[in-house]
C-alpha cells in the first residue's frame, strides 16, 4: 500500500495560510484528493487536467493552489510542487517492493531448509547397527538460546526478527537505523553497530508506537543537529525511549522561532500574494 504523506505543520504553513479563509477548505480538500490519487497510481505527483472534472474541482480552487505554489502547471495538466521531498517516487516504491519480495523469498527458502526431514533409518550411522542418537530440539527457550527453533506466538513487544542483517529488514526500519548511525558518525562519535536491539527498537517504534517514518526521520535529524541531544541520543533504543520528549522540544523550538520570524522578503511576498487573492475574492463576491 502506498501512502500520501501530510506533514503535521501543513495546516499552518505559509502556502496554506495564503489561501483566503473562505476558500481554503475546498482548495486543500482538492489538494488532498489529488495527492492520494497520485500516490495510489504512482504518478510522481503528475495528473491530467481532465481529472479535475472527476473530482468536482472549481477553477477558483485550482488557481489558488497554483498561486500558492502547491501545484505547478504542466503541458498535460498539473504536478505537485517538490513531490520527491515529501512523497516516495515510483522508482523508490518499486525498489522497496522488490527488496521486500527478495527478503520474503529468502526467508521462505530458509524455513523450507529447516523443515527438511532427517534420514529415516538412523541405525546405519554406526557399524553393527547401533543407533545414532539424534538430539531433540527443544521448543522451549533456554537462557543460552532464548529464541526457540519454532517461534511461539508472542505479543507485539516480544517479537524479534530472526535475522539481524540490515539488508533483510523492512525498508523503513533499515533506513532509520542507517540514518541514525550516519548522523552519529557525522557528529564525530564512534560508529555504532546496527544490531538486533536497534532493529527491534526501530520496528516497534513504527508498529507498536505508531510513529510515522517521515516524522521520525525529521525528528532524528533535528536531535542530531541539537548541541544537547546529539550527545545523549547515540542509539535507536534511546531514540525510541525519548521520542515524545524530543518531539515536544522540537515543537517548542519551532514555535519560538516562528514568534521571532524576521521580516524576510519571501514571507512578505507570501503575505502580499494572500492580500491580492483576498482582494480578488472580495471583488468577485461584490460583483456576484
Amino acid at each position: 500500500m502506498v501512502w500520501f504523506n501530510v506533514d503535521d505543520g501543513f495546516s499552518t504553513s505559509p502556502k496554506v495560510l495564503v489561501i483566503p479563509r473562505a476558500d481554503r477548505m475546498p482548495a486543500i480538500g482538492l489538494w488532498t484528493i489529488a495527492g492520494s490519487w497520485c500516490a495510489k497510481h504512482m504518478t510522481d505527483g503528475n495528473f491530467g487536467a481532465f481529472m479535475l472534472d472527476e473530482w468536482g474541482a472549481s477553477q477558483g480552487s485550482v488557481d489558488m493552489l497554483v498561486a500558492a505554489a502547491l501545484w505547478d502547471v504542466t503541458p498535460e495538466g498539473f504536478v505537485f510542487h517538490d513531490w520527491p521531498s515529501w512523497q516516495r517516487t515510483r522508482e523508490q516504491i518499486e525498489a522497496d517492493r522488490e527488496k521486500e519480495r527478495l527478503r520474503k523469498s529468502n526467508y521462505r527458502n530458509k524455513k523450507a531448509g529447516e523443515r527438511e526431514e532427517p534420514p529415516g533409518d538412523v541405525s546405519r550411522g554406526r557399524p553393527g547397527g547401533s543407533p545414532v542418537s539424534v538430539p531433540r530440539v527443544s521448543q522451549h527457550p533456554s537462557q543460552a538460546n532464548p529464541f526457540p527453533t519454532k517461534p511461539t506466538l508472542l505479543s507485539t513487544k516480544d517479537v524479534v526478527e530472526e535475522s539481524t542483517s540490515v539488508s533483510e529488514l523492512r525498508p523503513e526500519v533499515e533506513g532509520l537505523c542507517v540514518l541514525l548511525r550516519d548522523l552519529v558518525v557525522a557528529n564525530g562519535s564512534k560508529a555504532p553497530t546496527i544490531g538486533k536491539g536497534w532493529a527491534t527498537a526501530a520496528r516497534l517504534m513504527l508498529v507498536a508506537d505508531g510513529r510515522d517514518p517521515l516524522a521520525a526521520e525529521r525528528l532524528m535529524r533535528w536531535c542530531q543537529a541539537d548541541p544537547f541531544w546529539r550527545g545523549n541520543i547515540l542509539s535507536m533504543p534511546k531514540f525510541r525511549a525519548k521520542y515524545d520528549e524530543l518531539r515536544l522540544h522540537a515543537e517548542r523550538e519551532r514555535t519560538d522561532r516562528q514568534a521571532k520570524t524576521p521580516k524576510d522578503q519571501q514571507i512578505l511576498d507570501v503575505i502580499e500574494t494572500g492580500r491580492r487573492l483576498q482582494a480578488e475574492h472580495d471583488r468577485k463576491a461584490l460583483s456576484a
Side-chain angles (χ1 to χ4, degrees):
M1 179 179 293
V2 182
W3 297 92
F4 176 63
N5 303 305
V6 180
D7 187 84
D8 57 359
F10 176 74
S11 62
T12 57
S13 67
K15 289 186 176 182
V16 173
L17 296 180
V18 77
I19 301 175
R21 187 178 302 166
D23 301 311
R24 193 174 299 160
M25 187 62 70
I28 298 305
L30 171 61
W31 181 86
T32 306
I33 291 175
S36 64
W37 184 90
C38 292
K40 177 181 179 180
H41 296 281
M42 297 187 296
T43 65
D44 292 347
N46 290 274
F47 60 95
F50 63 91
M51 289 301 302
L52 297 174
D53 293 333
E54 178 66 21
W55 297 327
S58 67
Q59 188 61 43
S61 295
V62 174
D63 294 340
M64 290 175 187
L65 290 173
V66 173
L70 289 170
W71 284 355
D72 296 326
V73 180
T74 66
E76 295 77 21
F78 302 87
V79 62
F80 276 69
H81 182 76
D82 202 19
W83 176 274
S85 296
W86 300 96
Q87 315 293 335
R88 291 196 297 166
T89 64
R90 184 187 189 93
E91 182 179 359
Q92 292 172 333
I93 293 170
E94 291 178 345
D96 290 344
R97 287 177 175 175
E98 178 63 15
K99 185 184 296 184
E100 183 69 5
R101 186 191 66 80
L102 292 176
R103 186 190 70 82
K104 290 180 178 179
S105 177
N106 293 335
Y107 176 79
R108 294 190 189 102
N109 292 338
K110 178 182 177 181
K111 296 300 292 184
E114 292 177 355
R115 287 196 297 267
E116 289 182 0
E117 294 292 335
D121 187 4
V122 297
S123 63
R124 298 178 182 176
R126 292 183 181 179
S130 57
V132 177
S133 61
V134 179
R136 183 172 179 268
V137 179
S138 173
Q139 300 301 309
H140 302 283
S142 63
Q143 293 298 325
N145 181 22
F147 306 108
T149 303
K150 184 177 180 181
T152 57
L153 294 176
L154 303 175
S155 64
T156 304
K157 293 185 178 181
D158 294 329
V159 175
V160 180
E161 290 284 347
E162 291 189 6
S163 173
T164 58
S165 172
V166 177
S167 61
E168 295 184 7
L169 300 174
R170 56 182 286 189
E172 295 86 352
V173 172
E174 175 187 352
L176 290 174
C177 288
V178 172
L179 175 62
L180 181 56
R181 180 197 62 190
D182 293 346
L183 291 174
V184 169
V185 173
N187 285 331
S189 300
K190 180 181 178 181
T193 301
I194 302 178
K196 187 174 294 183
W198 276 52
T200 302
R203 190 183 65 259
L204 293 180
M205 179 177 64
L206 301 180
V207 178
D209 302 343
R211 309 297 187 186
D212 177 71
L214 290 178
E217 177 183 341
R218 288 194 295 273
L219 186 61
M220 189 178 293
R221 292 183 184 277
W222 175 87
C223 78
Q224 290 303 306
D226 184 83
F228 173 79
W229 288 110
R230 67 187 177 194
N232 289 273
I233 306 298
L234 299 175
S235 70
M236 187 60 70
K238 187 67 173 290
F239 177 74
R240 182 197 174 205
K242 293 288 185 179
Y243 191 97
D244 282 324
E245 185 175 353
L246 293 170
R247 178 178 56 80
L248 293 174
H249 276 282
E251 290 176 356
R252 182 163 58 248
E253 180 182 285
R254 182 169 60 249
T255 302
D256 294 342
R257 186 168 60 250
Q258 290 175 350
K260 301 176 183 178
T261 302
K263 293 183 178 179
D264 186 85
Q265 185 59 45
Q266 182 178 1
I267 297 179
L268 293 177
D269 292 341
V270 170
I271 295 174
E272 181 61 30
T273 302
R275 291 173 178 171
R276 179 175 55 80
L277 289 174
Q278 185 67 55
E280 293 178 358
H281 176 266
D282 293 340
R283 282 196 300 271
K284 291 179 181 179
L286 291 173
S287 60

